[in-house]
Amino acid sequence: MKITEVKCELLKMPLPRPMQSGSSSGVKGGPVGHIYMPLAVIRTDSGLTGTGYGWTLLGGATAIRCVIQDDFAPLLLGEDPLDNERLWTKLNKRLQSVGRAGVVNQAQAAVDLALWDIKGKAAGLPVYKLLGGMRESAPVYGSDGGWLYMSVEEMIDAFHEYLSQGMMGVKMKLGHEDPRVDIDRVTRVRKALGDQVWIATDANQKWDYPTALMVGRELERLGVAWFEEPLWCDDVPAHARLADALDIPIAMGETLGSRYEFDAYIRADAADILQPDICRVGGITEMVKIVHMGQVAGRPIAPHHMMESTIQVACGVMASGPIEYMPWVSGAFAEPMRLENGRMFPPDKPGLGLEIPEDVVRKFRVE
């Protein structure tokens, strides 16, 4: 089998609910209402086609498209699409001098997902079965209802909706200029939901060490499940100090770009819970390695975002651990993800099991 065509589309999708976090907001500081979704469509001489995607909120979307079209496509033509490990390495080495994270990784993820889609279709199996079929479903927590612009009452309503579906818990954002505002919001949510409800928090790299230490101690008092991205992601030593000083688990990884960056956190004991983002690390091929590293190191894995493709890894190689229910790109797909009693099931179709209808591409295409 040989690759005969690599095509890229770029979609601008409306978010189901506007988002605003400690590190992400609109041009004027308000909520963000759209997400960009670069698509890689790979066709073969066997008639099989694979589709993969990346995502970005605040920039770089057209750059990702250019990397796929101008840099990766020529390297892939004529190659065997089943050689995903070799092709991942080929692409990674070719552009590592200009981007070992960010734009290049997002482009690589779109290609990698498309290759795994082809591999699954060629085998007649869902990708999670190819990876190992560790389990048939994974628990989810609701993560699209705790944005900074939302009132406490709005968050509580959204959280009740998630919990009524049987989800294991909810996550809310931190990151106001005055951290006391965040502590008050968490306190009120905890009171409304009760002491037994699983609540996680995410600061999106907002604070310095003294502020994060103070907030972390308050979150411990409130029985919060984890304290996510409290500090700038490149500051491994500060995360190590914070993890040592606090009892609440430090969750980290959504902005890391490779297994080597995760390894630095593991070696420094700087993160208790690892959160790889399937698109930001370059796809399934790299994410599986990160999951195995975490398992060897005794670190729980709780993948970040992109649940439609992340579920393949979560069920393929993870024996436990949740995924994040964030339906940012759900509107692109022909069928919704199957969710029963708070657990998500991977599609049972060969490959990724995801179809993006042509009318969706036409409607949301960025020229």
Side-chain angles (χ1 to χ4, degrees), residues 12-253:
K12 183 180 181 181
M13 303 289 301
L15 291 173
R17 177 183 279 124
M19 67 79 63
Q20 184 184 29
S21 71
S23 63
S24 300
S25 60
V27 175
K28 297 183 179 180
V32 178
H34 291 83
I35 185 170
Y36 289 92
M37 188 179 183
L39 307 179
V41 181
I42 299 179
R43 295 186 172 88
T44 70
D45 60 2
S46 72
L48 293 178
T49 297
T51 301
Y53 60 93
W55 70 276
T56 179
L57 288 171
L58 303 180
T62 55
I64 296 169
R65 178 171 62 184
C66 285
V67 171
I68 296 172
Q69 291 178 163
D70 300 341
D71 298 306
F72 287 166
L75 298 175
L76 292 167
L77 293 177
E79 290 280 12
D80 186 336
L82 301 183
D83 297 344
N84 59 285
E85 187 74 43
R86 180 178 61 82
L87 293 178
W88 194 97
T89 302
K90 179 180 180 179
L91 300 184
N92 184 257
K93 285 187 174 181
R94 182 60 172 260
L95 293 188
Q96 61 88 25
S97 65
V98 295
R100 290 190 291 274
V103 166
V104 173
N105 271 18
Q106 288 275 0
Q108 181 139 13
V111 168
D112 189 68
L113 289 171
L115 293 176
W116 276 99
D117 195 27
I118 292 171
K119 184 181 287 251
K121 290 174 180 176
L125 293 169
V127 168
Y128 85 99
K129 288 292 189 183
L130 285 180
L131 292 175
M134 182 66 77
R135 54 181 172 168
E136 295 300 314
S137 65
V140 300
Y141 62 90
S143 190
D144 190 31
W147 303 111
L148 294 185
Y149 72 88
M150 296 175 70
S151 69
V152 171
E153 291 73 23
E154 289 172 330
M155 288 193 297
I156 291 170
D157 286 344
F159 292 158
H160 278 308
E161 181 180 347
Y162 285 141
L163 295 172
S164 70
Q165 298 176 55
M167 295 188 187
M168 59 174 278
V170 296
K171 186 169 78 178
M172 59 183 292
K173 295 294 184 178
L174 311 176
H176 290 84
E177 292 304 320
D178 183 350
R180 292 173 297 182
V181 173
D182 293 295
I183 294 168
D184 176 68
R185 285 162 64 88
V186 178
T187 300
R188 293 165 64 190
V189 168
R190 169 58 77 199
K191 182 177 180 181
L193 299 185
D195 292 339
Q196 302 307 310
V197 172
W198 187 96
I199 300 173
T201 56
D202 183 359
N204 289 107
Q205 310 180 72
K206 177 68 175 182
W207 291 312
D208 57 18
Y209 177 84
T211 306
L213 181 62
M214 181 273 290
V215 173
R217 286 173 174 159
E218 291 297 319
L219 297 178
E220 289 175 345
R221 179 180 61 82
L222 292 166
V224 170
W226 74 51
F227 189 9
E228 183 175 334
E229 278 204 318
L231 307 165
W232 187 246
C233 65
D234 290 327
D235 196 346
V236 179
H239 277 89
R241 288 175 60 205
L242 191 66
D244 184 61
L246 294 173
D247 291 327
I248 185 173
I250 301 299
M252 185 66 197

